[in-house]
Coordinates of all heavy atoms in Angstrom, one line a residue:
M272 N 29.6 -104.9 -193.8 CA 29.6 -106.0 -194.7 C 30.0 -107.3 -194.0 O 30.8 -107.3 -193.1 CB 30.6 -105.8 -195.9 CG 30.6 -106.9 -196.9 SD 31.9 -106.9 -198.1 CE 33.0 -108.1 -197.3
T273 N 29.3 -108.3 -194.3 CA 29.7 -109.7 -193.9 C 29.8 -110.6 -195.1 O 29.3 -110.3 -196.1 CB 28.7 -110.2 -192.9 OG1 27.4 -110.5 -193.6 CG2 28.4 -109.3 -191.7
K274 N 30.4 -111.7 -194.9 CA 30.6 -112.7 -196.0 C 29.2 -113.2 -196.4 O 28.9 -113.5 -197.5 CB 31.5 -113.8 -195.5 CG 31.8 -114.8 -196.6 CD 32.8 -115.8 -196.2 CE 33.2 -116.7 -197.3 NZ 34.2 -117.7 -197.0
I275 N 28.3 -113.2 -195.4 CA 27.0 -113.8 -195.6 C 26.0 -112.8 -196.2 O 25.2 -113.1 -197.0 CB 26.4 -114.4 -194.3 CG1 27.3 -115.6 -193.9 CG2 25.0 -114.8 -194.4 CD1 27.1 -116.1 -192.6
R276 N 26.2 -111.5 -195.9 CA 25.4 -110.4 -196.4 C 26.3 -109.3 -196.9 O 26.4 -108.2 -196.4 CB 24.5 -109.9 -195.3 CG 23.4 -110.9 -194.9 CD 22.6 -110.5 -193.7 NE 21.8 -109.3 -194.1 CZ 21.3 -108.5 -193.2 NH1 21.5 -108.6 -191.9 NH2 20.6 -107.4 -193.6
P277 N 26.9 -109.6 -198.1 CA 27.9 -108.6 -198.6 C 27.2 -107.3 -199.0 O 26.0 -107.3 -199.3 CB 28.5 -109.3 -199.8 CG 27.7 -110.5 -200.1 CD 26.8 -110.7 -198.9
D278 N 27.9 -106.2 -199.1 CA 27.4 -104.9 -199.4 C 26.7 -104.9 -200.8 O 25.8 -104.1 -201.0 CB 28.5 -103.8 -199.4 CG 28.9 -103.5 -197.9 OD1 28.1 -103.8 -197.0 OD2 30.0 -103.0 -197.8
Y279 N 27.2 -105.7 -201.7 CA 26.6 -105.6 -203.1 C 25.2 -106.1 -203.1 O 24.5 -105.9 -204.1 CB 27.5 -106.4 -204.1 CG 27.8 -107.8 -203.9 CD1 26.8 -108.8 -204.1 CD2 29.0 -108.2 -203.4 CE1 27.1 -110.1 -203.9 CE2 29.3 -109.5 -203.2 CZ 28.4 -110.5 -203.4 OH 28.7 -111.8 -203.2
Y280 N 24.6 -106.7 -202.0 CA 23.2 -107.0 -202.0 C 22.4 -105.8 -201.5 O 21.2 -105.9 -201.4 CB 23.0 -108.2 -201.0 CG 23.4 -109.5 -201.6 CD1 24.2 -110.4 -200.9 CD2 23.0 -109.9 -202.8 CE1 24.6 -111.6 -201.4 CE2 23.3 -111.2 -203.3 CZ 24.1 -112.0 -202.6 OH 24.5 -113.2 -203.1
R281 N 23.0 -104.7 -201.2 CA 22.3 -103.5 -200.7 C 22.0 -102.6 -201.8 O 22.8 -102.4 -202.7 CB 23.1 -102.8 -199.6 CG 23.4 -103.6 -198.4 CD 24.0 -102.8 -197.3 NE 24.2 -103.6 -196.1 CZ 23.3 -103.9 -195.2 NH1 22.1 -103.4 -195.4 NH2 23.5 -104.7 -194.2
G282 N 20.8 -101.9 -201.7 CA 20.5 -100.9 -202.7 C 21.2 -99.6 -202.4 O 21.9 -99.5 -201.3
S283 N 20.9 -98.6 -203.2 CA 21.6 -97.3 -202.9 C 21.1 -96.7 -201.6 O 21.7 -95.8 -201.1 CB 21.3 -96.4 -204.1 OG 19.9 -96.2 -204.3
D284 N 19.9 -97.2 -201.1 CA 19.4 -96.7 -199.8 C 20.0 -97.4 -198.6 O 19.6 -97.1 -197.5 CB 17.9 -96.7 -199.8 CG 17.4 -98.2 -200.0 OD1 18.2 -99.1 -200.1 OD2 16.1 -98.3 -200.0
G285 N 20.9 -98.4 -198.9 CA 21.5 -99.1 -197.8 C 20.7 -100.3 -197.3 O 21.2 -101.1 -196.5
K286 N 19.5 -100.6 -197.9 CA 18.7 -101.7 -197.5 C 19.0 -102.9 -198.3 O 19.2 -102.8 -199.5 CB 17.2 -101.3 -197.6 CG 16.8 -100.2 -196.7 CD 15.3 -99.9 -196.8 CE 14.9 -98.9 -195.8 NZ 13.5 -98.6 -195.9
D287 N 19.0 -104.1 -197.7 CA 19.1 -105.3 -198.4 C 17.8 -106.0 -198.5 O 16.7 -105.5 -198.0 CB 20.2 -106.2 -197.8 CG 19.9 -106.7 -196.4 OD1 18.7 -106.5 -195.9 OD2 20.8 -107.3 -195.8
L288 N 17.7 -107.2 -199.0 CA 16.4 -107.9 -199.2 C 15.8 -108.2 -197.8 O 14.6 -108.2 -197.7 CB 16.6 -109.2 -200.0 CG 16.6 -109.0 -201.5 CD1 16.8 -110.3 -202.2 CD2 15.3 -108.3 -202.0
F289 N 16.6 -108.6 -196.8 CA 16.0 -108.8 -195.5 C 15.2 -107.6 -195.1 O 14.1 -107.7 -194.6 CB 17.1 -109.1 -194.5 CG 17.8 -110.4 -194.6 CD1 17.6 -111.3 -195.7 CD2 18.8 -110.7 -193.7 CE1 18.3 -112.5 -195.8 CE2 19.5 -111.9 -193.8 CZ 19.2 -112.8 -194.8
D290 N 15.8 -106.4 -195.2 CA 15.1 -105.2 -194.8 C 13.9 -105.0 -195.6 O 12.8 -104.6 -195.0 CB 16.1 -104.0 -195.0 CG 17.3 -104.1 -194.2 OD1 17.3 -104.6 -193.0 OD2 18.4 -103.6 -194.7
R291 N 13.9 -105.2 -196.9 CA 12.8 -105.0 -197.7 C 11.7 -106.0 -197.4 O 10.5 -105.7 -197.4 CB 13.2 -105.1 -199.2 CG 14.1 -104.0 -199.6 CD 14.5 -104.0 -201.1 NE 15.6 -103.2 -201.3 CZ 15.7 -101.9 -201.2 NH1 14.7 -101.2 -200.8 NH2 16.8 -101.2 -201.5
F292 N 12.0 -107.3 -197.2 CA 11.0 -108.3 -196.8 C 10.3 -107.8 -195.6 O 9.0 -107.9 -195.5 CB 11.6 -109.6 -196.6 CG 12.2 -110.3 -197.8 CD1 13.1 -111.3 -197.7 CD2 11.9 -109.9 -199.1 CE1 13.7 -112.0 -198.8 CE2 12.4 -110.5 -200.2 CZ 13.3 -111.6 -200.1
E293 N 11.0 -107.4 -194.6 CA 10.4 -107.0 -193.3 C 9.7 -105.7 -193.3 O 8.8 -105.5 -192.5 CB 11.5 -107.0 -192.2 CG 12.1 -108.3 -191.9 CD 13.3 -108.3 -190.9 OE1 13.5 -107.2 -190.2 OE2 13.9 -109.3 -190.8
A294 N 10.0 -104.9 -194.3 CA 9.2 -103.6 -194.5 C 8.0 -103.8 -195.3 O 7.2 -102.8 -195.5 CB 10.2 -102.6 -195.2
G295 N 7.7 -105.0 -195.8 CA 6.4 -105.3 -196.4 C 6.5 -105.8 -197.8 O 5.4 -106.1 -198.4
L296 N 7.6 -106.0 -198.4 CA 7.8 -106.6 -199.7 C 7.1 -108.0 -199.7 O 6.5 -108.4 -200.6 CB 9.2 -106.7 -200.1 CG 9.5 -107.3 -201.5 CD1 8.8 -106.4 -202.6 CD2 10.9 -107.4 -201.8
L297 N 7.3 -108.7 -198.6 CA 6.7 -110.0 -198.3 C 5.7 -109.8 -197.1 O 5.9 -109.0 -196.3 CB 7.7 -111.1 -198.0 CG 8.7 -111.5 -199.1 CD1 9.6 -112.6 -198.5 CD2 8.1 -111.9 -200.3
T298 N 4.8 -110.7 -197.0 CA 3.9 -110.7 -195.8 C 4.7 -111.2 -194.6 O 5.8 -111.8 -194.8 CB 2.7 -111.6 -196.0 OG1 3.1 -113.0 -196.1 CG2 1.9 -111.3 -197.2
Q299 N 4.2 -111.1 -193.4 CA 4.9 -111.6 -192.3 C 5.1 -113.1 -192.4 O 6.2 -113.6 -192.1 CB 4.1 -111.2 -191.0 CG 4.8 -111.7 -189.7 CD 4.1 -111.2 -188.5 OE1 3.1 -110.5 -188.5 NE2 4.7 -111.5 -187.3
E300 N 4.1 -113.8 -192.8 CA 4.1 -115.2 -192.9 C 5.2 -115.6 -194.0 O 5.9 -116.6 -193.8 CB 2.7 -115.8 -193.3 CG 2.7 -117.3 -193.4 CD 1.2 -117.7 -193.8 OE1 0.3 -117.1 -193.3 OE2 1.2 -118.7 -194.5
E301 N 5.2 -114.9 -195.1 CA 6.2 -115.2 -196.1 C 7.6 -115.0 -195.6 O 8.5 -115.8 -195.9 CB 5.9 -114.4 -197.4 CG 4.7 -114.8 -198.1 CD 4.2 -113.8 -199.2 OE1 4.6 -112.6 -199.1 OE2 3.5 -114.2 -200.1
T302 N 7.8 -113.9 -194.9 CA 9.2 -113.6 -194.4 C 9.6 -114.6 -193.4 O 10.8 -115.1 -193.5 CB 9.1 -112.2 -193.7 OG1 8.7 -111.2 -194.7 CG2 10.5 -111.8 -193.2
I303 N 8.8 -115.1 -192.5 CA 9.1 -116.1 -191.6 C 9.4 -117.4 -192.3 O 10.4 -118.1 -192.0 CB 7.9 -116.3 -190.6 CG1 7.9 -115.1 -189.6 CG2 8.1 -117.6 -189.8 CD1 6.6 -115.0 -188.8
G304 N 8.6 -117.7 -193.3 CA 8.9 -118.9 -194.1 C 10.2 -118.9 -194.9 O 11.0 -119.8 -195.0
F305 N 10.6 -117.7 -195.4 CA 11.8 -117.4 -196.1 C 13.0 -117.7 -195.1 O 13.9 -118.4 -195.5 CB 11.9 -116.0 -196.6 CG 13.2 -115.6 -197.2 CD1 13.6 -116.0 -198.4 CD2 14.1 -114.8 -196.4 CE1 14.9 -115.6 -198.9 CE2 15.3 -114.4 -196.9 CZ 15.7 -114.8 -198.2
Y306 N 12.9 -117.1 -193.9 CA 14.0 -117.3 -193.0 C 14.1 -118.8 -192.5 O 15.2 -119.4 -192.5 CB 13.8 -116.5 -191.7 CG 14.0 -115.0 -192.0 CD1 13.3 -114.0 -191.3 CD2 14.9 -114.5 -192.9 CE1 13.4 -112.7 -191.5 CE2 15.1 -113.2 -193.1 CZ 14.4 -112.2 -192.4 OH 14.6 -110.9 -192.7
K307 N 13.0 -119.4 -192.3 CA 13.0 -120.8 -191.8 C 13.6 -121.7 -193.0 O 14.4 -122.6 -192.7 CB 11.7 -121.3 -191.4 CG 11.2 -120.8 -190.1 CD 9.8 -121.3 -189.7 CE 9.4 -120.8 -188.3 NZ 8.1 -121.4 -188.0
G308 N 13.1 -121.5 -194.2 CA 13.5 -122.3 -195.3 C 14.9 -122.3 -195.6 O 15.6 -123.3 -195.9
N309 N 15.5 -121.0 -195.5 CA 16.9 -120.9 -195.8 C 17.7 -121.5 -194.7 O 18.8 -122.1 -194.9 CB 17.2 -119.4 -196.1 CG 17.0 -119.0 -197.5 OD1 17.7 -119.5 -198.4 ND2 15.9 -118.3 -197.7
A310 N 17.3 -121.3 -193.4 CA 18.0 -122.0 -192.3 C 18.1 -123.5 -192.5 O 19.2 -124.1 -192.4 CB 17.4 -121.6 -191.0
I311 N 17.0 -124.1 -192.9 CA 16.9 -125.5 -193.1 C 17.8 -125.9 -194.2 O 18.5 -126.9 -194.2 CB 15.5 -126.0 -193.3 CG1 14.7 -125.8 -192.0 CG2 15.4 -127.4 -193.9 CD1 13.2 -125.9 -192.2
K312 N 17.8 -125.1 -195.3 CA 18.6 -125.4 -196.5 C 20.1 -125.5 -196.1 O 20.8 -126.5 -196.4 CB 18.4 -124.4 -197.6 CG 19.4 -124.5 -198.7 CD 19.2 -123.4 -199.8 CE 19.7 -122.0 -199.3 NZ 19.7 -121.0 -200.3
Y313 N 20.6 -124.5 -195.4 CA 22.0 -124.5 -195.0 C 22.3 -125.5 -194.0 O 23.5 -126.1 -194.0 CB 22.4 -123.1 -194.6 CG 22.4 -122.1 -195.7 CD1 21.6 -121.0 -195.8 CD2 23.4 -122.2 -196.7 CE1 21.6 -120.1 -196.8 CE2 23.4 -121.4 -197.8 CZ 22.5 -120.3 -197.9 OH 22.6 -119.4 -198.9
L314 N 21.4 -125.9 -193.1 CA 21.7 -126.9 -192.1 C 21.8 -128.3 -192.8 O 22.6 -129.1 -192.4 CB 20.6 -126.9 -191.0 CG 20.7 -125.8 -190.0 CD1 19.4 -125.8 -189.2 CD2 21.9 -125.9 -189.2
T315 N 20.9 -128.5 -193.8 CA 20.9 -129.9 -194.4 C 22.0 -130.1 -195.4 O 22.4 -131.2 -195.6 CB 19.5 -130.1 -195.1 OG1 19.3 -129.1 -196.0 CG2 18.4 -130.2 -194.0
R316 N 22.6 -129.0 -195.9 CA 23.7 -129.2 -196.9 C 25.0 -129.0 -196.3 O 26.0 -129.3 -197.0 CB 23.5 -128.3 -198.1 CG 23.8 -126.9 -197.8 CD 23.7 -126.0 -199.1 NE 24.5 -124.8 -199.0 CZ 24.6 -123.9 -199.9 NH1 23.8 -124.0 -201.0 NH2 25.4 -122.9 -199.8
E317 N 25.1 -128.7 -195.1 CA 26.4 -128.3 -194.4 C 27.4 -129.4 -194.5 O 28.6 -129.2 -194.9 CB 26.1 -128.0 -192.9 CG 27.3 -127.9 -192.0 CD 27.6 -129.2 -191.3 OE1 26.7 -129.9 -191.0 OE2 28.8 -129.4 -191.0
D318 N 27.0 -130.7 -194.3 CA 28.0 -131.8 -194.4 C 28.6 -132.0 -195.8 O 29.7 -132.4 -196.0 CB 27.4 -133.1 -193.9 CG 27.4 -133.3 -192.4 OD1 28.2 -132.7 -191.8 OD2 26.5 -134.0 -191.9
S319 N 27.7 -131.8 -196.8 CA 28.1 -132.1 -198.2 C 28.6 -131.0 -199.0 O 29.1 -131.2 -200.1 CB 27.0 -132.8 -198.9 OG 25.9 -131.9 -199.0
K320 N 28.5 -129.7 -198.5 CA 28.9 -128.6 -199.3 C 29.9 -127.7 -198.7 O 31.1 -127.8 -198.9 CB 27.6 -127.8 -199.8 CG 27.9 -126.9 -200.9 CD 26.7 -126.5 -201.6 CE 27.1 -125.6 -202.8 NZ 26.0 -125.0 -203.5
N321 N 29.5 -126.7 -197.9 CA 30.4 -125.7 -197.4 C 30.7 -125.7 -195.9 O 31.3 -124.8 -195.4 CB 29.8 -124.3 -197.8 CG 29.7 -124.1 -199.3 OD1 30.6 -124.5 -200.0 ND2 28.6 -123.6 -199.7
G322 N 30.3 -126.8 -195.2 CA 30.7 -126.9 -193.8 C 30.4 -125.8 -192.9 O 29.2 -125.3 -192.9
R323 N 31.4 -125.2 -192.3 CA 31.2 -124.2 -191.3 C 30.5 -122.9 -191.9 O 29.7 -122.3 -191.2 CB 32.6 -123.8 -190.7 CG 32.5 -122.8 -189.6 CD 33.9 -122.4 -189.1 NE 33.8 -121.5 -188.1 CZ 34.0 -121.7 -186.8 NH1 34.4 -122.9 -186.4 NH2 33.8 -120.8 -185.9
E324 N 30.8 -122.6 -193.1 CA 30.2 -121.4 -193.8 C 28.7 -121.6 -193.9 O 27.9 -120.7 -193.6 CB 30.8 -121.2 -195.2 CG 30.2 -120.0 -195.9 CD 30.8 -119.9 -197.3 OE1 31.9 -120.3 -197.6 OE2 30.0 -119.2 -198.1
D325 N 28.2 -122.8 -194.2 CA 26.8 -123.1 -194.2 C 26.2 -123.0 -192.8 O 25.0 -122.5 -192.7 CB 26.5 -124.4 -194.8 CG 26.6 -124.4 -196.4 OD1 26.5 -123.2 -196.9 OD2 26.6 -125.4 -197.0
L326 N 26.9 -123.4 -191.8 CA 26.4 -123.2 -190.4 C 26.2 -121.8 -190.1 O 25.3 -121.3 -189.4 CB 27.2 -124.0 -189.4 CG 27.2 -125.5 -189.5 CD1 28.2 -126.1 -188.5 CD2 25.8 -126.0 -189.3
D327 N 27.2 -121.0 -190.5 CA 27.2 -119.5 -190.2 C 26.0 -118.9 -191.0 O 25.3 -118.0 -190.4 CB 28.5 -118.8 -190.7 CG 29.7 -119.1 -189.8 OD1 29.4 -119.6 -188.6 OD2 30.8 -119.0 -190.3
K328 N 25.7 -119.3 -192.2 CA 24.6 -118.8 -192.9 C 23.3 -119.2 -192.3 O 22.4 -118.4 -192.1 CB 24.6 -119.3 -194.4 CG 25.7 -118.7 -195.2 CD 25.8 -119.2 -196.6 CE 26.9 -118.5 -197.4 NZ 26.9 -119.0 -198.8
A329 N 23.2 -120.5 -191.8 CA 22.0 -120.9 -191.1 C 21.8 -120.1 -189.9 O 20.6 -119.6 -189.6 CB 22.1 -122.4 -190.7
L330 N 22.8 -119.8 -189.1 CA 22.7 -118.9 -187.9 C 22.2 -117.5 -188.3 O 21.4 -116.9 -187.5 CB 24.0 -118.9 -187.2 CG 24.4 -120.0 -186.3 CD1 25.8 -119.9 -185.8 CD2 23.4 -120.1 -185.2
T331 N 22.7 -117.0 -189.4 CA 22.3 -115.7 -189.8 C 20.7 -115.7 -190.0 O 20.0 -114.7 -189.5 CB 23.0 -115.3 -191.1 OG1 24.3 -115.1 -190.9 CG2 22.4 -113.9 -191.7
Y332 N 20.2 -116.7 -190.7 CA 18.8 -116.7 -190.9 C 18.0 -117.0 -189.6 O 16.9 -116.4 -189.4 CB 18.4 -117.8 -192.0 CG 18.8 -117.3 -193.4 CD1 19.9 -117.7 -194.0 CD2 17.9 -116.4 -194.1 CE1 20.3 -117.3 -195.3 CE2 18.3 -116.0 -195.3 CZ 19.4 -116.4 -195.9 OH 19.7 -116.0 -197.2
I333 N 18.5 -117.8 -188.8 CA 17.9 -118.0 -187.5 C 17.9 -116.8 -186.6 O 16.9 -116.4 -186.0 CB 18.6 -119.2 -186.7 CG1 18.3 -120.5 -187.5 CG2 18.1 -119.3 -185.3 CD1 19.1 -121.7 -187.1
Q334 N 19.0 -116.1 -186.6 CA 19.1 -114.8 -185.8 C 18.1 -113.8 -186.4 O 17.4 -113.1 -185.6 CB 20.5 -114.3 -185.8 CG 21.4 -115.2 -184.9 CD 22.9 -114.8 -185.1 OE1 23.3 -114.2 -186.1 NE2 23.7 -115.3 -184.2
R335 N 18.0 -113.7 -187.7 CA 17.1 -112.7 -188.3 C 15.7 -113.1 -188.0 O 14.8 -112.2 -187.7 CB 17.4 -112.6 -189.8 CG 16.8 -111.4 -190.4 CD 17.4 -110.1 -190.0 NE 16.7 -109.0 -190.5 CZ 17.3 -107.9 -191.1 NH1 18.6 -107.9 -191.2 NH2 16.6 -106.9 -191.6
L336 N 15.4 -114.4 -188.0 CA 14.0 -114.8 -187.7 C 13.7 -114.5 -186.3 O 12.6 -114.0 -186.0 CB 13.9 -116.4 -187.9 CG 12.7 -117.0 -187.4 CD1 11.5 -116.6 -188.2 CD2 12.8 -118.6 -187.5
K337 N 14.6 -114.7 -185.4 CA 14.4 -114.4 -184.0 C 14.1 -112.9 -183.8 O 13.2 -112.5 -183.1 CB 15.6 -114.8 -183.2 CG 15.5 -114.6 -181.7 CD 16.7 -115.1 -181.0 CE 16.7 -114.8 -179.5 NZ 17.9 -115.2 -178.8
Q338 N 14.9 -112.1 -184.4 CA 14.8 -110.6 -184.3 C 13.4 -110.2 -184.9 O 12.8 -109.2 -184.4 CB 15.9 -109.9 -185.0 CG 17.2 -110.0 -184.3 CD 18.4 -109.5 -185.2 OE1 18.2 -109.1 -186.3 NE2 19.6 -109.6 -184.6
F339 N 13.0 -110.8 -186.0 CA 11.8 -110.4 -186.7 C 10.6 -110.8 -185.8 O 9.6 -110.1 -185.7 CB 11.7 -111.1 -188.0 CG 10.5 -110.7 -188.9 CD1 10.3 -109.5 -189.3 CD2 9.6 -111.7 -189.2 CE1 9.2 -109.1 -190.1 CE2 8.5 -111.4 -189.9 CZ 8.3 -110.1 -190.4
K340 N 10.6 -112.1 -185.3 CA 9.4 -112.6 -184.6 C 9.4 -112.0 -183.1 O 8.3 -111.9 -182.6 CB 9.4 -114.1 -184.5 CG 9.0 -114.7 -185.8 CD 8.9 -116.2 -185.7 CE 7.6 -116.6 -184.9 NZ 7.3 -118.0 -184.9
Y341 N 10.5 -111.8 -182.5 CA 10.6 -111.4 -181.1 C 11.4 -110.2 -180.9 O 12.5 -110.2 -180.3 CB 11.1 -112.6 -180.3 CG 10.4 -113.8 -180.5 CD1 10.9 -114.8 -181.3 CD2 9.1 -114.1 -180.0 CE1 10.2 -116.0 -181.6 CE2 8.4 -115.2 -180.3 CZ 9.0 -116.2 -181.0 OH 8.3 -117.4 -181.3
P342 N 11.0 -109.0 -181.5 CA 11.8 -107.8 -181.4 C 12.0 -107.4 -179.9 O 11.0 -107.6 -179.1 CB 11.1 -106.8 -182.2 CG 9.7 -107.3 -182.2 CD 9.7 -108.8 -182.2
K343 N 13.1 -106.9 -179.6 CA 13.3 -106.3 -178.2 C 12.4 -105.1 -178.2 O 12.5 -104.2 -179.0 CB 14.8 -106.0 -178.0 CG 15.6 -107.2 -177.9 CD 17.0 -106.9 -177.5 CE 17.8 -108.2 -177.5 NZ 19.2 -107.9 -177.2
R344 N 11.7 -105.0 -177.1 CA 10.8 -103.8 -176.9 C 11.5 -102.8 -176.1 O 11.9 -103.1 -175.0 CB 9.5 -104.3 -176.2 CG 8.5 -103.1 -176.1 CD 7.2 -103.7 -175.5 NE 6.4 -102.5 -175.2 CZ 6.2 -102.1 -173.9 NH1 6.8 -102.7 -172.9 NH2 5.4 -101.0 -173.7
K345 N 11.6 -101.6 -176.6 CA 12.1 -100.5 -175.9 C 11.0 -99.9 -175.0 O 9.9 -99.6 -175.6 CB 12.7 -99.4 -176.8 CG 14.0 -99.9 -177.5 CD 14.6 -98.9 -178.3 CE 15.8 -99.4 -179.1 NZ 16.5 -98.4 -179.9
I346 N 11.3 -99.7 -173.8 CA 10.2 -99.1 -172.9 C 10.3 -97.6 -172.9 O 11.3 -97.0 -172.6 CB 10.5 -99.6 -171.4 CG1 10.4 -101.1 -171.3 CG2 9.4 -99.0 -170.5 CD1 10.8 -101.7 -170.0
P347 N 9.2 -97.0 -173.4 CA 9.2 -95.5 -173.4 C 9.4 -95.0 -172.0 O 9.0 -95.7 -171.0 CB 7.8 -95.2 -174.0 CG 7.3 -96.4 -174.6 CD 8.0 -97.6 -173.9
F348 N 10.0 -93.8 -171.8 CA 10.2 -93.3 -170.5 C 9.0 -93.2 -169.7 O 9.0 -93.5 -168.5 CB 10.9 -91.9 -170.6 CG 11.4 -91.4 -169.3 CD1 12.4 -92.0 -168.6 CD2 10.7 -90.3 -168.7 CE1 12.9 -91.5 -167.4 CE2 11.1 -89.9 -167.4 CZ 12.2 -90.4 -166.8
A349 N 7.8 -92.8 -170.3 CA 6.6 -92.7 -169.5 C 6.2 -94.1 -168.9 O 5.7 -94.1 -167.8 CB 5.5 -92.2 -170.4
D350 N 6.3 -95.1 -169.7 CA 6.0 -96.5 -169.2 C 7.0 -96.9 -168.1 O 6.6 -97.5 -167.1 CB 6.1 -97.5 -170.3 CG 5.0 -97.4 -171.4 OD1 4.0 -96.7 -171.1 OD2 5.1 -98.0 -172.4
F351 N 8.2 -96.5 -168.2 CA 9.2 -96.8 -167.2 C 8.8 -96.1 -165.9 O 8.9 -96.8 -164.8 CB 10.6 -96.3 -167.6 CG 11.7 -96.6 -166.7 CD1 12.3 -97.8 -166.7 CD2 12.1 -95.6 -165.7 CE1 13.4 -98.1 -165.8 CE2 13.1 -95.9 -164.8 CZ 13.7 -97.1 -164.8
E352 N 8.4 -94.9 -165.9 CA 7.9 -94.2 -164.7 C 6.7 -94.9 -164.1 O 6.7 -95.0 -162.9 CB 7.6 -92.7 -165.0 CG 8.8 -91.9 -165.2 CD 8.5 -90.4 -165.4 OE1 7.4 -90.1 -166.0 OE2 9.3 -89.5 -164.9
K353 N 5.8 -95.3 -164.9 CA 4.6 -96.0 -164.4 C 5.0 -97.3 -163.7 O 4.5 -97.7 -162.7 CB 3.6 -96.3 -165.5 CG 2.9 -95.1 -166.0 CD 2.0 -95.6 -167.2 CE 1.4 -94.4 -167.9 NZ 0.6 -94.8 -169.1
A354 N 5.9 -98.0 -164.3 CA 6.3 -99.3 -163.8 C 7.2 -99.2 -162.6 O 7.1 -100.1 -161.7 CB 7.1 -100.1 -164.9
F355 N 8.1 -98.2 -162.5 CA 9.0 -98.1 -161.4 C 8.9 -96.9 -160.6 O 9.8 -96.6 -159.8 CB 10.5 -98.2 -162.0 CG 10.7 -99.5 -162.7 CD1 10.7 -99.6 -164.1 CD2 10.9 -100.7 -162.0 CE1 10.8 -100.8 -164.8 CE2 11.0 -101.9 -162.7 CZ 11.0 -101.9 -164.1
G356 N 7.9 -96.1 -160.8 CA 7.8 -94.9 -160.0 C 8.6 -93.8 -160.6 O 9.2 -93.9 -161.7
R357 N 8.6 -92.6 -160.0 CA 9.3 -91.5 -160.5 C 10.8 -91.7 -160.6 O 11.4 -92.3 -159.8 CB 9.0 -90.3 -159.6 CG 9.4 -89.0 -160.2 CD 9.1 -87.9 -159.3 NE 9.9 -86.8 -159.8 CZ 9.5 -85.6 -160.0 NH1 8.2 -85.3 -159.7 NH2 10.3 -84.6 -160.4
A358 N 11.4 -91.2 -161.7 CA 12.9 -91.4 -161.9 C 13.6 -90.7 -160.8 O 13.2 -89.7 -160.3 CB 13.3 -90.8 -163.3
S359 N 14.6 -91.4 -160.3 CA 15.4 -90.8 -159.2 C 16.4 -89.8 -159.7 O 16.7 -89.7 -160.9 CB 16.2 -91.9 -158.5 OG 17.3 -92.3 -159.3
N360 N 16.8 -88.9 -158.9 CA 17.7 -87.8 -159.3 C 19.1 -88.1 -158.7 O 19.9 -87.3 -158.6 CB 17.2 -86.4 -158.8 CG 17.1 -86.4 -157.2 OD1 17.5 -87.3 -156.6 ND2 16.6 -85.3 -156.7
G361 N 19.3 -89.4 -158.4 CA 20.7 -89.8 -158.0 C 20.9 -89.8 -156.5 O 21.9 -90.1 -156.0
H362 N 19.8 -89.4 -155.7 CA 20.0 -89.4 -154.3 C 19.3 -90.6 -153.6 O 18.2 -91.0 -153.9 CB 19.5 -88.1 -153.7 CG 20.3 -86.9 -154.2 ND1 21.5 -86.7 -153.7 CD2 20.0 -86.0 -155.0 CE1 22.0 -85.6 -154.3 NE2 21.0 -85.1 -155.1

């Protein structure tokens, strides 16, 4: 749980709206727009409303946008062997 994404936003399956949006509840374009729009909202109101908390919220949306658009790619072992040759046995 975080202050920005409390547990009460999660369903009985443990997923929150972010997870559901990314799983297809929204299109990719809609999900990206949601993250960008909320980041902008919290950045523009930060001075007049919740200060640091709004910056933290904006960062949450920016980080989630970054993870959604640019996921870290795990290299399958077979691809690793192709790229770097046969795995060493420690010698």
Side-chain angles (χ1 to χ4, degrees):
M272 181 191 100
T273 67
K274 186 174 184 178
I275 295 169
R276 294 176 61 202
D278 288 337
Y279 56 80
Y280 285 129
R281 296 186 179 281
S283 59
D284 60 359
K286 293 182 180 180
D287 65 11
L288 279 177
F289 289 5
D290 300 323
R291 294 183 197 295
F292 292 162
E293 292 177 12
L296 183 62
L297 298 180
T298 67
Q299 182 175 1
E300 185 177 323
E301 290 168 337
T302 301
I303 290 168
F305 172 79
Y306 290 147
K307 286 181 177 182
N309 278 289
I311 291 166
K312 171 182 73 175
Y313 287 115
L314 287 170
T315 57
R316 76 180 204 179
E317 169 263 329
D318 277 336
S319 62
K320 194 161 182 186
N321 296 318
R323 185 182 183 107
E324 181 181 335
D325 280 344
L326 292 178
D327 289 340
K328 288 179 179 182
L330 279 172
T331 295
Y332 284 100
I333 292 167
Q334 289 167 344
R335 193 68 185 230
L336 172 64
K337 182 179 174 185
Q338 291 168 0
F339 182 67
K340 284 188 73 172
Y341 308 103
K343 291 183 180 177
R344 182 174 172 258
K345 293 183 180 180
I346 300 174
F348 188 71
D350 290 346
F351 182 83
E352 284 184 328
K353 286 179 192 173
F355 299 103
R357 191 177 162 133
S359 73
N360 61 6
H362 297 288

